[in-house]
Amino acid sequence: MNVCILSKFPPIEGGIAAKSFWLARGYAEAGLSVQVVSNGNIVEDEYRIEGCYPHILEMDGIVLHEVENGFPWHIPDEQHSIARMLDRLIEVHQEHPIAVVDAGYLVPYGITAYLFNRISGVPYIVRHGGSDIEKFLNAGKLGALLEEVQNGASAIVSDPSRVGTFTEFEEKLKILHPYVPDQRVFRSSGEKTRSIPCLLYVGKLNWHWERKGLAGIIECLQFLPESWKLQFIGQGKGKETFRTFLQEKGFGDLAIGSFVPPWEMPEVLNGSDFVFCLSAGEPIRSFSNILVEAVCCGATVIVDSDFDPSPYQSLSNSMEDSLLRVSATNPEAMAKAIMRFWNNGTLGRKGKNITLTQSFKEYVQENINVLKQAVK
């Protein structure tokens, strides 16, 4: 079966792109022919992962088709992502007939899949993230169009936390785990032997970077031993305002590393003892890939005291054992909790592998079953 993944994909950063990358690998490993159509080559520099080429052009069983680069300027000036992706989809289908489209996000990918279906008759399934639900469906933006997208889909893939969002489409709703890491690569390298811990933050630096609990993270550094280091990986349009905040707090020399490709994340996570996954008034709650990947790599994940583990409990019965709950609004208390945890050698340096309730192979097969049902 020739499947086309139409989604965010590296070099675009973020959870959706990373999930699309690992799912494409899983599909190819399961014997599917995989075409990927994405607009990653025209993503803004702030959200582009460097170092993805030539890797993403040389993957076994996967062919990446990026949109036309360079577009005639006209008034009003637009990116025309939907038109570019639709044009590329038609070209790919002419050369490699597509059996089904797997659209990874409602806007613009689900819309593009819908239009392609109207042109070609090729069925499609559609997925979603957190932002497209809150910013579009729940906000009533593009309401008439997105209702057509959902009506036209052979299946809507969602997760248990979003069941109530699609009550009008229960007959085509498929509830799957949002993401299952491949534990052949996301696994602990063994007992942590470092005497000084490594703390890690990975995430976007948008205008609203405060919602990631970053103010609390930076302010807690003053209460930690000077020898403790924070590895900070982040990009986004709020990076300069965040730099200003760092300077005001006396941490202007903190290095901010660039995003790394998904296939390099296991090494990054294995080099970390603590991984921050905080939020502070974040209105869009969504499943965190990094949280699950970090736990699989043996790291302790620092979360808010009111963190809701329910989206992750179906993946592991022991997830809570790998979490450290802190008050993101009390930096001194946060630092004390981290030091107390680290100084308890049994807990702080465990580096154990956890067993997920579903393997990556099973996760991939569930998704393939949805694709097969779509083409019947």
Side-chain angles (χ1 to χ4, degrees):
M1 181 167 63
N2 189 29
V3 58
C4 178
I5 292 178
L6 174 65
S7 181
K8 295 183 182 183
F9 200 82
I12 300 176
E13 59 71 44
I16 298 294
K19 282 189 279 191
S20 298
F21 170 81
W22 292 112
L23 197 56
R25 286 193 16 158
Y27 284 168
E29 188 176 28
L32 301 187
S33 175
V34 183
Q35 315 292 326
V36 176
V37 172
S38 184
N39 53 349
N41 57 316
I42 61 171
V43 69
E44 305 97 310
D45 290 343
E46 293 91 342
Y47 302 105
R48 176 190 301 274
I49 306 173
E50 298 298 335
C52 289
Y53 301 98
H55 183 97
I56 55 175
L57 302 176
E58 299 174 347
M59 298 179 289
D60 291 340
I62 304 168
V63 181
L64 174 62
H65 308 269
E66 295 180 317
V67 299
E68 184 177 352
N69 203 348
F71 209 75
W73 179 85
H74 61 99
I75 300 173
D77 188 22
E78 296 180 10
Q79 283 280 348
H80 290 291
S81 283
I82 291 176
R84 293 187 191 189
M85 289 189 293
L86 183 58
D87 181 66
R88 184 65 77 222
L89 262 175
I90 294 170
E91 289 183 349
V92 171
H93 185 51
Q94 290 172 345
E95 297 179 14
H96 314 279
I98 297 168
V100 60
V101 173
D102 186 337
Y105 210 69
L106 287 169
V107 181
Y109 308 99
I111 296 172
T112 307
Y114 163 75
L115 294 173
F116 179 64
N117 168 263
R118 302 289 289 182
I119 294 170
S120 67
V122 174
Y124 66 96
I125 69 170
V126 66
R127 305 173 188 271
H128 65 81
S131 294
D132 51 351
I133 295 294
E134 299 299 335
K135 293 181 179 180
F136 290 94
L137 284 188
N138 291 349
K141 302 297 184 182
L142 302 179
L145 177 57
L146 290 180
E147 185 170 354
E148 290 296 325
V149 170
Q150 294 170 87
N151 272 321
S154 296
I156 299 172
V157 179
S158 188
D159 60 81
S161 69
R162 296 289 186 176
V163 172
T165 304
F166 301 99
T167 53
E168 297 180 28
F169 303 98
E170 289 183 359
E171 75 285 350
K172 60 178 64 179
L173 190 60
K174 306 296 182 183
I175 303 300
L176 306 180
H177 283 126
Y179 169 63
V180 177
D182 186 347
Q183 288 195 276
R184 293 170 299 178
V185 291
F186 288 101
R187 61 190 307 276
S188 173
S189 57
E191 192 76 12
K192 308 289 186 181
T193 59
R194 291 182 287 273
S195 59
I196 299 174
C198 177
L199 297 90
L200 172 69
Y201 172 81
V202 181
K204 299 185 187 75
L205 289 173
N206 289 330
W207 302 119
H208 47 75
W209 52 264
E210 296 94 339
R211 297 176 184 171
K212 302 294 184 181
L214 295 185
I217 294 173
I218 298 305
E219 290 173 353
C220 95
L221 294 180
Q222 62 185 306
F223 301 107
L224 293 173
E226 289 186 10
S227 60
W228 290 27
K229 300 299 181 184
L230 170 65
Q231 182 181 9
F232 199 102
I233 298 175
Q235 293 174 211
K237 294 188 176 181
K239 186 173 181 178
E240 291 310 310
T241 61
F242 180 65
R243 282 193 184 278
T244 300
F245 171 79
L246 289 177
Q247 292 169 356
E248 292 172 350
K249 294 298 179 180
F251 292 97
D253 59 346
L254 177 67
I256 301 178
S258 299
F259 290 132
V260 300
W263 54 91
E264 293 182 8
M265 281 307 301
E267 182 179 356
V268 172
L269 292 170
N270 259 295
S272 305
D273 300 287
F274 294 98
V275 178
F276 287 102
C277 285
L278 299 174
S279 63
E282 173 59 70
I284 302 175
R285 298 282 178 149
S286 56
F287 186 92
S288 170
N289 295 10
I290 292 291
L291 188 151
V292 182
E293 292 171 348
V295 168
C296 288
C297 288
T300 297
V301 180
I302 300 174
V303 298
D304 301 271
S305 55
D306 62 349
F307 170 76
D308 178 13
S310 57
Y312 308 90
Q313 287 175 332
S314 61
L315 264 180
S316 172
N317 298 322
S318 58
M319 184 75 72
E320 190 72 32
D321 295 339
S322 297
L323 305 180
L324 174 59
R325 293 175 178 270
V326 301
S327 173
T329 57
N330 189 332
E332 184 174 6
M334 185 195 309
K336 288 180 177 179
I338 296 171
M339 288 188 288
R340 186 165 53 247
F341 193 90
W342 177 254
N343 290 331
N344 182 336
T346 303
L347 292 173
R349 300 165 175 78
K350 54 188 176 185
K352 295 179 181 177
N353 284 300
I354 69 165
T355 301
L356 300 180
T357 57
Q358 186 179 49
S359 70
F360 178 70
K361 185 176 182 180
E362 291 168 337
Y363 162 71
V364 170
Q365 188 57 54
E366 274 195 348
N367 282 274
I368 290 176
N369 291 343
V370 174
L371 295 175
K372 287 181 176 180
Q373 292 171 11
V375 298
K376 285 183 178 178

